[in-house]
C-alpha cells in the first residue's frame, strides 16, 4: 500500500476530429478502413484472459454492404458462461483488493491509447461494423468512450473523498466496497462507447463483469476488449461473451453470484431480465443492483415563437443522424400551424440534400440500418403509414436491402396525435409531425406528456422565456434529458449525464458519479479512540 494521497485531476472532454478534406486525420482513417475491410478476422470469446472458440459461429458483415464479411464470431452458451463466472470470481479475489490507483491506472491508460494509437482502429471498426459516418463514429467510439474512462476514474476518487463527520473521541469513516459476485453487462449495437462503458464502470469500482455484447455490433466490441487487454486489464476481470440473448442471459441470471445488471437495449428485453431476476431472487447471495436504459419516443415541441432555422437543423439532425438508431433520436414532433408552412418548406428542401449510402464515402450523411431485422421492423411502420388514412408520407418512404439495409429519411404528418408512429418506438429514420392549432398549445403539451410510455429525451423551442418556463414545467417528467432550443441527441459525459425514467429505464445517469454509486456498497466504520468504561448513564443516578 502506497503511503500517499494520489490525485486525479478533473479531465477535459476529448476533442473531436473533423475529418475535413486535407486533414491528416482523414487520410489516416481512410487508410485504416482499407486495412480492416481487406482482412477477415476470427472473434473468439475471451474468458479468464484466454481466447475460447466454441465452434458455433456466425458471420459478421457490413450493414451497408451485407455481402462483405468482416469476421466470424464464436457464440457462447451455458458452458462458457459458467467458465466466465468461475474466472470472474477468481479474478475478484485480487482485483477487489487491488489499490484503487492501480485499478484506475488501467482505464487511464486505455483512454490514452484510444485517444492516440487506437483511435483510427476503433473508428474504422465502428464505421464498418455499425455503418456510422466518420463524425458519428468519432463522437461515439473515441470521444465518448475516452470520456467514460477518464471521468469515471475521476468520479471514483470524488466518491472516496466523501467521508462522514467525526466528533472528538471517535473516527468515522466510509469504505466504498465493490459488490460481491459479478455484474452482468448487456450492451447495445448502436454505441461503441456504451458497449465499453457498461462492463468497465463496475470494474473501475473493483467489480468483475460478464459482458454480453450485441451480436450485431460484435466487431467494434471485440476491438474494445483487445484495447482493454493492451491497457493491462488483468485476466478474468471482464469476460467477453458473444452469443444470443437467452443463451448467455439465462445462465448468467440463474447464478447465485449475480450482483448486478448493467443494461442498455430494448424495453422488452430489460423487462424480461428484470422478471427473471425477480423469479430467482431467493437464490442470490445479495440483492442484484439493476441499472438499465431502454427505449425512447423522443420529442421536439415547438412554440409559435420558435426560431424556424434552428428548428429545421435540430429536427433533421436529431431524426436522421445515424439513421435514427439512437435511443435519443427525435421521432415525434409537435409544431404550431403558424410555423408549419415555413418549417415544412425549409425542412423538405434540406432533407433532399441528404446522401444515403456507403459510409466510406465521406459525403454520406446516413448509412444503413444495422441488420435485416431492423430493416424489416422499420419498413413495416413505413408501410403502415402508406396504408393509413390518418397519416401521410411527405418525404422519403423508400427503402432497399439488395446491397445494404438502406432506408431513406422519411417525414410523416400524422392527422391523429395518437397515431401509431407518434406513440411507438421505431428506431429508424422516421420522424412523425403533428401540426397543432396555435390556441391548443397547453392541450398539446399535455398530449406530448401522455402520448408515449417513455421519458428519455425531449427538446423544446421558443424565444419567449415565460413560454420556455411553462413548457419545461409541463414536461418535467417527460424526459430525463431535456434540451432547450437544441436537438435532443448527443449528450456529453460530464455535461449532460444520460438517462430517462418511466419505461425508458432506471435513470441512473451514465456519465456521472451517480452511476458509479450503483456499483459500490458502502461500509460505515466507527472507531472509538477513548471507549467508555462505565455502562451506566447519568439519568440513572439518584437525586
Amino acid at each position: 500500500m502506497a503511503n500517499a494521497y494520489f490525485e486525479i485531476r478533473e479531465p477535459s472532454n476529448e476533442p473531436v476530429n473533423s475529418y475535413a478534406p486535407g486533414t491528416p486525420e482523414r487520410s489516416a482513417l481512410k487508410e485504416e478502413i482499407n486495412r480492416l475491410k481487406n482482412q477477415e478476422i476470427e472473434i473468439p470469446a475471451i474468458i479468464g484472459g484466454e481466447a475460447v472458440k466454441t465452434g458455433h459461429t456466425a458471420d459478421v458483415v457490413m450493414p451497408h454492404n451485407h455481402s462483405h464479411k468482416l469476421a466470424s464470431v464464436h457464440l457462447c452458451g451455458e458452458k462458457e458462461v459458467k467458465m466466465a463466472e468461475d474466472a470472474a470470481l477468481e479474478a475478484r479475489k485480487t482485483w477487489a483488493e487491488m489499490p484503487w490507483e492501480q485499478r484506475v491506472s488501467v482505464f487511464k491508460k486505455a483512454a490514452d491509447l484510444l485517444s492516440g494509437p487506437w483511435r483510427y482502429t476503433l473508428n474504422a471498426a465502428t464505421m464498418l461494423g455499425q455503418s456510422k459516418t466518420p463524425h458519428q463514429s468519432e463522437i461515439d467510439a473515441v470521444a465518448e468512450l475516452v470520456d467514460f474512462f477518464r471521468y469515471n476514474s475521476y468520479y471514483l476518487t470524488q466518491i472516496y473523498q466523501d467521508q462522514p463527520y467525526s466528533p472528538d473521541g471517535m473516527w468515522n469513516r466510509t469504505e466504498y466496497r465493490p459488490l460481491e459476485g459479478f455484474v452482468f453487462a448487456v450492451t447495445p449495437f448502436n454505441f461503441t462507447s456504451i458497449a465499453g462503458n457498461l462492463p468497465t464502470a463496475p470494474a473501475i469500482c473493483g467489480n468483475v463483469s460478464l459482458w454480453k455484447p450485441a451480436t450485431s455490433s460484435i466487431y467494434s466490441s471485440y476491438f474494445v476488449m483487445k484495447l482493454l487487454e493492451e491497457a493491462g486489464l488483468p485476466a478474468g476481470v471482464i469476460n467477453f461473451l458473444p452469443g444470443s440473448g437467452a443463451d448467455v442471459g439465462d445462465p448468467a441470471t440463474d447464478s447465485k453470484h449475480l450482483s448486478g445488471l448493467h443494461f442498455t437495449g430494448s424495453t422488452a428485453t430489460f423487462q424480461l431480465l428484470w422478471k427473471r431476476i425477480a423469479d430467482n431472487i431467493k437464490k442470490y447471495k445479495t440483492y442484484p443492483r439493476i441499472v438499465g436504459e431502454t427505449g425512447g419516443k423522443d420529442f421536439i415541441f415547438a412554440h409559435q415563437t420558435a426560431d424556424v432555422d434552428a428548428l429545421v437543423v435540430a429536427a433533421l439532425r436529431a431524426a436522421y443522424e445515424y439513421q435514427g438508431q439512437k435511443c435519443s433520436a427525435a421521432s415525434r414532433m409537435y409544431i404550431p400551424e403558424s410555423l408549419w408552412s415555413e418549417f415544412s418548406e425549409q425542412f423538405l428542401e434540406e432533407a433532399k440534400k441528404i446522401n444515403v449510402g456507403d459510409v466510406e464515402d465521406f459525403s454520406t450523411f446516413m448509412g444503413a440500418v444495422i441488420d435485416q431485422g431492423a430493416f424489416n421492423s422499420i419498413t413495416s411502420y413505413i408501410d403502415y403509414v402508406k396504408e393509413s388514412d390518418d397519416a401521410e408520407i411527405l418525404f422519403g418512404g423508400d427503402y432497399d436491402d439488395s446491397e445494404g439495409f438502406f432506408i431513406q429519411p422519411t417525414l410523416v404528418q400524422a392527422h391523429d396525435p395518437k397515431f401509431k408512429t407518434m406513440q411507438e418506438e421505431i428506431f429508424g429514420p422516421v420522424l412523425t409531425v403533428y401540426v397543432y392549432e396555435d390556441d391548443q398549445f397547453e392541450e398539446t403539451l399535455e398530449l406530448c406528456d401522455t402520448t408515449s410510455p417513455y421519458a428519455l429525451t425531449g427538446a423544446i423551442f421558443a424565444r419567449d422565456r415565460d413560454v420556455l418556463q411553462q413548457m419545461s414545467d409541463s414536461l418535467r417528467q417527460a424526459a430525463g434529458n431535456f434540451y432547450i432550443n437544441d436537438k435532443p441527441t448527443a449528450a456529453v459525459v460530464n455535461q449532460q449525464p444520460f438517462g430517462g425514467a418511466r419505461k425508458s429505464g432506471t435513470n441512473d445517469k451514465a456519465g456521472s458519479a451517480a452511476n458509479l454509486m450503483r456499483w459500490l456498497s458502502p461500509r460505515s466504520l466507527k472507531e472509538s479512540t477513548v471507549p467508555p468504561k462505565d455502562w451506566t448513564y447519568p439519568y440513572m443516578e439518584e437525586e
Side-chain angles (χ1 to χ4, degrees), residues 284-322:
Y284 298 131
K285 188 173 182 179
T286 184
Y287 291 109
R289 306 282 179 90
I290 300 177
V291 173
E293 190 258 294
T294 61
K297 190 64 183 173
D298 309 302
F299 62 85
I300 296 176
F301 197 111
H303 181 255
Q304 62 185 13
T305 63
D307 181 330
V308 173
D309 293 341
L311 187 63
V312 167
V313 171
L316 189 145
R317 284 182 167 178
Y320 302 141
E321 281 187 317
Y322 192 45

Side-chain angles (χ1 to χ4, degrees), residues 142-428:
V142 176
E144 186 166 7
L145 187 51
V146 167
D147 286 350
F148 276 134
F149 290 157
R150 288 179 177 155
Y151 277 102
N152 282 343
S153 298
Y154 170 73
Y155 295 146
L156 185 67
T157 67
Q158 302 303 295
I159 292 171
Y160 284 168
Q161 290 177 31
D162 186 9
Q163 294 295 319
Y165 168 71
S166 296
D168 292 343
M170 68 180 69
W171 186 16
N172 297 317
R173 309 188 291 278
T174 299
E175 176 189 2
Y176 296 91
R177 304 167 298 178
L179 309 178
E180 295 186 272
F182 67 86
V183 174
F184 183 38
V186 181
T187 63
F189 78 82
N190 56 338
F191 282 96
T192 304
S193 55
I194 298 176
N197 182 54
L198 266 55
T200 59
I204 287 172
C205 298
N207 296 285
V208 289
S209 301
L210 271 59
W211 174 18
K212 196 209 87 63
T215 52
S216 50
S217 63
I218 199 71
Y219 192 65
S220 62
S221 293
Y222 176 67
F223 284 105
V224 171
M225 187 66 197
K226 300 305 288 183
L227 167 69
L228 293 170
E229 289 184 327
E230 176 71 17
L233 185 72
V237 172
I238 295 176
N239 297 276
F240 180 74
L241 299 171
S244 70
D247 289 348
V248 177
D250 287 358
T253 52
D254 281 345
S255 170
K256 68 178 181 180
H257 296 293
L258 178 71
S259 61
L261 170 66
H262 205 187
F263 176 91
T264 296
S266 75
T267 303
T269 300
F270 187 52
Q271 291 178 349
L272 182 68
L273 286 167
W274 194 308
K275 184 177 186 302
R276 190 171 183 87
I277 290 170
D279 291 341
N280 288 334
I281 202 68
K282 290 184 178 180
K283 72 167 60 174
Y284 298 131
K285 188 173 182 179
T286 184
Y287 291 109
R289 306 282 179 90
I290 300 177
V291 173
E293 190 258 294
T294 61
K297 190 64 183 173
D298 309 302
F299 62 85
I300 296 176
F301 197 111
H303 181 255
Q304 62 185 13
T305 63
D307 181 330
V308 173
D309 293 341
L311 187 63
V312 167
V313 171
L316 189 145
R317 284 182 167 178
Y320 302 141
E321 281 187 317
Y322 192 45
Q323 299 78 263
Q325 296 175 120
K326 300 181 181 184
C327 44
S328 58
S331 58
R332 58 183 170 126
M333 185 172 181
Y334 302 84
I335 187 166
E337 187 175 31
S338 58
L339 296 186
W340 173 237
S341 177
E342 182 183 359
F343 171 85
S344 60
E345 181 179 349
Q346 288 189 35
F347 186 90
L348 295 176
E349 185 64 31
E350 294 303 316
K352 292 174 185 176
K353 302 174 185 177
I354 292 176
N355 182 21
V356 180
D358 190 331
V359 293
E360 293 179 58
D361 175 359
F362 281 23
S363 69
T364 297
F365 184 77
M366 285 174 53
V369 299
I370 193 67
D371 58 20
Q372 189 71 60
F375 180 88
N376 293 343
S377 175
I378 297 163
T379 56
S380 72
Y381 282 95
I382 293 173
D383 292 342
Y384 181 85
V385 174
K386 290 177 179 178
E387 297 297 321
S388 175
D389 294 329
D390 293 324
E392 58 182 311
I393 292 175
L394 302 181
F395 180 79
D398 297 325
Y399 49 82
D400 182 2
D401 63 352
S402 58
E403 180 178 348
F405 303 113
F406 294 112
I407 300 175
Q408 295 298 314
T410 299
L411 180 67
V412 174
Q413 182 179 359
H415 306 301
D416 176 1
K418 294 294 184 78
F419 186 68
K420 183 175 183 177
T421 62
M422 290 290 289
Q423 295 191 73
E424 298 181 14
E425 184 179 43
I426 301 173
F427 224 64

Side-chain angles (χ1 to χ4, degrees), residues 29-49:
L29 179 55
K30 287 191 171 186
E31 183 178 333
E32 185 65 1
I33 290 170
N34 277 329
R35 185 183 75 84
L36 291 185
K37 70 178 288 190
N38 287 310
Q39 63 182 13
E40 184 180 312
I41 65 172
E42 187 176 18
I43 300 176
I46 299 177
I47 300 172

Side-chain angles (χ1 to χ4, degrees), residues 437-453:
E437 300 286 342
D438 287 46
D439 61 2
Q440 294 293 301
F441 172 63
E442 293 184 359
E443 292 84 353
T444 309
L445 281 173
E446 176 69 16
L447 269 175
C448 180
D449 186 41
T450 58
T451 292
S452 165

